[in-house]
Amino acid sequence: MYLTLSGVILVTGGRWWLAALHVGLVGVVLLTLREQGGSLRMAAGDLLPLIAAPLLYGEIPALIASVGTTYHDAMVQRWELAVFGGQPSHTFAARLPYQPLSELLHAGYLAYYAVIFVPPLLLLAAGRKRAFAETVLALTVTCTICWAIYVAMPVEGPRYLFAAPLNVPNGPFRRLVVSLLAAGSSRGAAFPSSHMAVSVAMAVTALRWQRPVGWAVSAVALLIGFGAVYGGFHYGVDMIAGAGLGAATSLGVIAAFNTGTTRSAQ
């Protein structure tokens, strides 16, 4: 449904090549629904959501432009002031300008990319199909809700509006994160933080199915939550909202799977 709706939006905005990509993806999904097993179903039905999520993130600015929505940073900054009494994305690093801390938090922020792939792929490799399906569905639902919010209520975030945080140490991991964001960040995708939402969703499902991995992902989620604000990439309320969304979607998916299992057993 998301691929179809966003494809229509891209057509109305004249983004024909992106819309054509959506048509192709929808076609692949429909083919897998007809195939009862085999490599195509595994590649598209199982792995496509993991591959598509980062790719679809990149087209968010095009969707925002096609819809014509305006940015809502002023509103989020008011929330930030009400919750924190200031703008921690600009002052947090100045209060703790320590190189080891900065590098740890920025390294944790980079670990987000492992969080997307490692937990579900470990489950797939172990042949734990139900656990894999539940984990991937939690990821898919979380991303879809985030993308929809970004299009309806885009927020640029402090990285686009403010100067670099005061006194933030500029080590190797900091420079790498800044370079990656400059190359692949999507303007308008700040609230809620999809990094935080996905990390929490993966932590919840991993704690259910692969507890040691779940504790590791939980630690990474904490580093992402603090690191995104420390580095000046997100407002603090972005991370709070992202954590709440990730927890809610993953728990909702788990509940839905349990309900389905109970009905099948009856």
Side-chain angles (χ1 to χ4, degrees), residues 194-214:
S194 59
H195 281 62
M196 194 65 186
V198 168
S199 298
V200 170
M202 292 296 97
V204 171
T205 53
L207 285 170
R208 170 169 163 79
W209 294 110
Q210 40 188 341
R211 185 146 297 195
V213 175

Side-chain angles (χ1 to χ4, degrees), residues 82-262:
V83 173
F84 297 104
Q87 299 296 327
S89 62
H90 197 57
T91 60
F92 185 16
R95 296 177 181 175
L96 298 168
Y98 307 124
Q99 183 85 14
L101 175 62
S102 176
E103 289 295 278
L104 174 64
L105 292 177
H106 284 90
Y109 192 80
L110 284 172
Y112 166 74
Y113 302 101
V115 164
I116 297 176
F117 297 103
V118 172
L121 290 179
L122 287 175
L123 292 170
L124 184 63
R128 303 177 67 184
K129 293 183 179 180
R130 183 177 185 275
F132 174 81
E134 185 177 289
T135 300
V136 171
L137 182 58
L139 169 69
T140 303
V141 172
T142 301
C143 288
T144 301
I145 293 174
C146 284
W147 300 176
I149 293 172
Y150 298 155
V151 176
M153 194 192 81
V155 176
E156 292 179 279
R159 192 175 76 85
Y160 290 98
L161 300 181
F162 301 151
L166 299 172
N167 298 326
V168 59
N170 193 26
F173 281 117
R174 163 75 183 177
R175 289 191 292 272
L176 180 56
V177 170
V178 171
S179 297
L180 288 174
L181 290 176
S185 181
S186 286
R187 194 166 195 154
F191 179 91
S193 166
S194 59
H195 281 62
M196 194 65 186
V198 168
S199 298
V200 170
M202 292 296 97
V204 171
T205 53
L207 285 170
R208 170 169 163 79
W209 294 110
Q210 40 188 341
R211 185 146 297 195
V213 175
W215 288 120
V217 174
S218 298
V220 171
L222 283 174
L223 293 175
I224 289 172
F226 287 105
V229 179
Y230 185 94
F233 312 131
H234 275 280
Y235 303 113
V237 292
D238 296 345
M239 313 316 290
I240 295 173
L245 175 61
T249 54
S250 55
L251 291 173
V253 166
I254 290 171
F257 265 75
N258 285 337
T259 300
T261 302
T262 302

